[in-house]
Amino acid sequence: MLTKPVYGWSNFQLEDTSIYALSYLDDIAFEWVEQAIHGLETMLPFCVKGYLEPNRFLCTVSYWNCHIICEDDERYPLHKENVINEFSHTSMLQFCQYLYDDISQNINEWISFTDYEDIDVVKRNEVLTQKLMHLKRLLSEREEWFGVNRCFL
């Protein structure tokens, strides 16, 4: 879903969607993992965002599908032809698992993704590792909720 960050960029793609190049202007690992944790804790859809330089990337993670919107980041009214809308049959549980896998496999690169700030690498590693452990625990706890013959109201 997310490629290993290189020079402040990571590509994002879900099944049946385009590839979106997300910039370092958003601290994706920390912000997205926090949103995923909140989504699995509350069992409510959640949204993650990124910046495409230019344009804004939004991905709403619902129970059974993800909805992607890319829009201009200016203040003027939007027109349908200027907005990208895509969706993927990727469940909340799958999205969170992909996120966990992609961040965990490249944790050092994600820790320094926002290198425009003066960062404490050791502290960020500790915090992100704790968040990932929490996410992994929630993934295990919620797995049965996404089984066959399950639904969300």
Side-chain angles (χ1 to χ4, degrees):
M1 177 174 81
L2 287 167
T3 61
K4 178 180 177 177
V6 176
Y7 303 121
W9 292 91
S10 175
N11 289 334
F12 172 91
Q13 184 178 31
L14 292 173
E15 185 177 343
D16 298 324
T17 72
S18 302
I19 298 172
Y20 298 95
L22 303 173
S23 93
Y24 66 95
L25 294 176
D26 286 286
D27 198 354
I28 290 172
F30 287 82
E31 294 169 10
W32 288 27
V33 169
E34 285 177 17
Q35 290 299 317
I37 288 169
H38 180 71
L40 289 176
E41 283 179 340
T42 62
M43 286 311 300
L44 292 172
F46 62 93
C47 184
V48 294
K49 72 176 188 72
Y51 196 56
L52 303 171
E53 291 191 47
N55 296 328
R56 183 176 297 109
F57 168 91
L58 304 167
C59 181
T60 300
V61 180
S62 190
Y63 301 107
W64 303 112
N65 300 286
C66 291
H67 305 268
I68 294 171
I69 300 169
C70 293
E71 62 182 8
D72 195 331
D73 59 350
E74 298 295 327
R75 292 176 160 232
Y76 57 82
L78 295 174
H79 294 67
K80 286 184 181 183
E81 63 272 6
N82 297 333
V83 178
I84 295 171
N85 286 300
E86 291 191 302
F87 58 89
S88 173
H89 184 56
T90 301
S91 73
M92 182 186 295
L93 192 73
Q94 289 170 313
F95 181 94
C96 293
Q97 184 66 59
Y98 294 154
L99 182 63
Y100 173 84
D101 293 343
D102 295 344
I103 303 296
S104 296
Q105 290 169 9
N106 299 296
I107 192 165
N108 292 329
E109 289 80 5
W110 284 109
I111 287 167
S112 60
F113 188 61
T114 57
D115 64 358
Y116 57 88
E117 298 176 353
D118 186 24
I119 61 172
D120 181 343
V121 174
V122 174
K123 179 66 174 169
R124 283 176 59 87
N125 189 332
E126 180 183 309
V127 170
L128 187 54
T129 299
Q130 289 174 356
K131 288 180 184 298
L132 287 169
M133 288 181 357
H134 188 181
L135 180 58
K136 184 174 186 163
R137 192 168 48 254
L138 285 168
L139 282 162
S140 178
E141 292 171 6
R142 299 296 190 252
E143 186 174 10
E144 70 178 86
W145 294 21
F146 288 86
V148 177
N149 298 323
R150 293 298 197 128
C151 70
F152 298 95
L153 303 176

